[in-house]
Amino acid sequence: MLIAFVLLYLILFVGIGLWAATRVHRTRDYVVAGRSLPLYVVTATVFATWFGSETVLGISARFVKEGLGGIIEDPFGSSMCLVLVGLFFAAKLYRMNLLTIGDFYRNRYNRSVEVVSSLAIIASYLGWVSAQIVALGLVFSLLGDGGMTPAQGIVLGASIVLLYTFFGGMFSVAWTDFFQMMLIVCGLMYLTWLIAGEAGGFAAVVAHAQQAGKFEFWPAPEAKDILAFVAAWVTMMFGSIPQQDVFQRVTSARNERIAVTGTLAGAGLYFVFAFAPLFLAYSASIIDPAMVSRLIENDPQHILPTLVMTRAPLVAQIVFFGALLAAIMSTASGTLLAPSVTFTENILKGLLRRSLSDRQFLWTLRGVVAVFTVLVTAFALDSDSSIYEMVGNAYKVTLVAAFVPLVAGLYWRRATTQGAFVSAFAGLSVWLSLEIFGIGGIWPPQLAGLLAAIAGMAAGSLLPQRIGRRDLPEPHLRHHLHPAGQHVPPT
């Protein structure tokens, strides 16, 4: 019965995705939904894209082991990221009417900075999308009760997400996100009420967690712990700002006000409901402590689904796995589309010797989506990292290579192409050196890389200029950004 309901759910949402695909007639429809989404859909797609496998399985498992101090990156850093985007980036980026975040680096700096930043953005998605595919494999394996291996589940899950993302792009992603958000919210509210009753009440679970020290948030007053705390926070808070999926949700809105309001509303919803899986997973410590002690060291990601499978009635199991699949699929579809669009627009398009018609470009985009799905599926099959680690590590590269040029390009008039190039080079060099050789001492590699990127931007912009904008493409091929920041139509 559970499997039957899950199959019905999958068929329903693939159908919604394919229905939404009928609205795709041109590239702009596929990438930014024709800039037509209303407030409730923008809010839903911001929420649903962030509310993925790491929220339900990764964060909850980490909280059971380490408490609030172990989940600084997500949900605290990720929620603050969306707040910052809504307050300081959404309006400015929406006015530019760009197709991708990579277009900003090209228009503000030059083609070289566009390529470097876009490659960093694309690389960051490998771990994030793979985490969603791994989670789908885990869910299908659990539902199959041994009849399907996690590897087979990974391939099946990737195929399902690819099906509607391939045809519908951002329209399919947005409208499936809307319905999936409603399922996630309603499902988690019901499960929280049910599991709280099993554990002795909401207050009893909170009191138990407090006595166990799970609410200790701030680091110990030692330099190493403070630096690690700051590094974990800024990795998600800043590193996930220069991301194509966030940019797409901003620019898919019907107008600038909706872009800002929808992003902030999605951030608030995400932060509130991200704590529901924490509550559910920790309740297992009271309901079935033997199961938790068995899974906590080797496979804590199984704690929450195992609790539901063994202790909850069938209706609750259907609700849980429906909400879980909704969370994973909504994130997976958005994060499959984003790097594919960035690669096609900002890397591949510049390598082609001839211009493409809009229809040719649209089908090229779809082809890249299929290829990227194969790559992340292979990466997921080969990875042995936890879901939380895969997502957290994904944003280090954009933190050191793309964040500083984005902020400086928007808010510092003296930022130059040379400064952006030096910033990305310094940030990547310092980060990779510390990661590979481990010579940073107490300094987390990504935090040292961020400081190097800031110094590189300042030095590169203020020193005599030797790198200019001479490698910009022909004017008739690109949108332009006036030095003062106003969008100017193509000539």
Side-chain angles (χ1 to χ4, degrees):
M1 185 66 70
L2 175 60
I3 295 174
F5 271 98
V6 169
L7 288 175
L8 180 63
Y9 162 80
L10 293 174
I11 292 170
L12 173 64
F13 278 93
V14 168
I16 292 173
L18 294 178
W19 164 78
T22 60
R23 303 181 65 179
V24 175
H25 305 293
R26 54 185 182 143
T27 300
R28 190 161 288 269
D29 296 335
Y30 192 81
V31 177
V32 291
R35 289 168 67 93
S36 64
L37 299 182
L39 176 61
Y40 61 92
V41 177
V42 174
T43 300
T45 193
V46 169
F47 166 85
T49 298
W50 282 92
F51 204 101
S53 63
E54 71 282 0
T55 311
V56 180
L57 300 177
I59 297 174
S60 60
R62 181 66 69 93
F63 175 75
V64 173
K65 289 185 67 175
E66 303 178 23
L68 288 181
I71 57 172
I72 304 302
E73 293 173 332
D74 198 4
F76 296 98
S78 54
S79 299
M80 278 303 302
C81 162
L82 294 176
V83 172
L84 293 175
V85 169
L87 293 177
F88 302 108
F89 296 89
K92 285 179 174 289
L93 292 174
Y94 188 87
R95 292 178 204 141
M96 294 177 188
N97 195 23
L98 304 172
L99 194 64
T100 68
I101 188 69
D103 290 347
F104 169 82
Y105 295 97
R106 179 190 64 238
N107 291 349
R108 180 61 174 84
Y109 301 112
N110 66 9
R111 169 67 176 167
S112 297
V113 178
E114 173 196 12
V115 170
V116 171
S117 302
S118 298
L119 288 175
I121 292 168
I122 293 167
S124 71
Y125 280 98
L126 190 59
W128 193 10
V129 186
S130 296
Q132 313 311 314
I133 303 301
V134 167
L136 284 174
L138 171 63
V139 172
F140 288 135
S141 177
L142 287 171
L143 290 172
D145 195 22
M148 178 180 294
T149 66
Q152 292 170 333
I154 286 173
V155 174
L156 175 61
S159 302
I160 293 171
V161 174
L162 173 62
L163 178 61
Y164 65 84
T165 307
F166 179 86
F167 290 103
M170 191 60 195
F171 263 125
S172 290
V173 169
W175 283 102
T176 54
D177 280 355
F178 172 68
F179 289 101
Q180 285 164 338
M181 185 196 79
M182 293 192 294
L183 181 59
I184 292 168
V185 169
C186 295
L188 287 177
M189 290 175 65
Y190 168 69
L191 285 167
T192 300
W193 170 79
L194 181 70
I195 297 299
E198 289 285 324
F202 182 83
V205 176
V206 172
H208 192 283
Q210 186 173 17
Q211 291 174 3
K214 298 301 181 182
F215 293 155
E216 294 180 4
F217 180 75
W218 299 106
E222 298 180 6
K224 181 179 180 181
D225 294 329
I226 293 173
L227 289 174
F229 180 89
V230 173
W233 200 318
V234 301
T235 297
M236 288 285 280
M237 182 168 58
F238 294 157
S240 49
I241 289 177
Q243 291 287 348
Q244 176 63 19
D245 63 291
V246 177
F247 174 84
Q248 280 179 269
R249 276 134 192 83
V250 168
T251 54
S252 296
R254 185 176 295 164
N255 55 51
E256 182 182 316
R257 180 186 60 81
I258 290 175
V260 174
T261 307
T263 303
L264 292 174
L269 279 174
Y270 176 75
F271 185 75
V272 170
F273 281 95
F275 285 92
L278 308 187
F279 176 85
L280 294 172
Y282 192 78
S283 297
S285 302
I286 301 174
I287 298 172
D288 195 348
M291 179 269 290
V292 173
S293 62
R294 186 179 74 252
L295 295 176
I296 191 68
E297 294 300 330
N298 297 325
D299 210 346
Q301 295 168 166
H302 281 77
I303 291 176
L304 184 50
T306 302
L307 173 69
V308 174
M309 290 287 286
T310 57
R311 294 301 186 103
L314 178 61
V315 173
Q317 293 178 24
I318 293 171
V319 170
F320 172 77
F321 282 102
L324 178 57
L325 285 172
I328 298 170
M329 292 174 63
S330 61
T331 301
S333 58
T335 51
L336 274 178
L337 180 63
S340 303
V341 170
T342 301
F343 177 80
T344 308
E345 165 71 6
N346 302 113
I347 305 297
L348 182 60
K349 190 175 180 180
L351 298 176
L352 297 177
R353 296 188 176 183
R354 64 184 183 90
S355 60
L356 299 176
S357 67
D358 189 76
R359 181 174 179 80
Q360 290 173 325
F361 188 71
L362 176 59
W363 279 100
T364 302
L365 264 174
R366 288 172 167 154
V368 173
V369 169
V371 172
F372 192 77
T373 304
V374 173
L375 291 176
V376 297
T377 302
F379 184 81
L381 290 169
D382 189 55
S383 177
D384 57 358
S385 300
S386 72
I387 293 172
Y388 191 90
E389 290 172 343
M390 292 172 75
V391 173
N393 291 333
Y395 297 109
K396 292 179 180 178
V397 62
T398 45
L399 175 70
V400 302
F403 173 69
V404 174
L406 174 64
V407 175
L410 287 173
Y411 285 99
W412 191 32
R413 290 179 178 272
R414 299 188 65 180
T416 65
T417 298
Q418 178 173 284
F421 189 81
V422 174
S423 174
F425 178 80
L428 285 169
S429 299
V430 170
W431 170 60
L432 289 174
S433 297
L434 298 186
E435 287 279 8
I436 295 171
F437 300 109
I439 57 177
I442 65 173
W443 280 91
Q446 73 269 30
L447 184 58
L450 174 61
L451 296 177
I454 295 172
M457 172 59 75
S461 297
L462 297 177
L463 290 174
Q465 301 298 295
R466 297 183 180 275
I467 301 177
R469 295 167 54 86
R470 59 183 177 275
D471 60 347
L472 275 170
E474 292 300 317
H476 67 281
L477 297 179
R478 305 292 189 180
H479 292 293
H480 290 275
L481 185 67
H482 190 271
Q486 298 92 346
H487 178 68
V488 179
T491 54

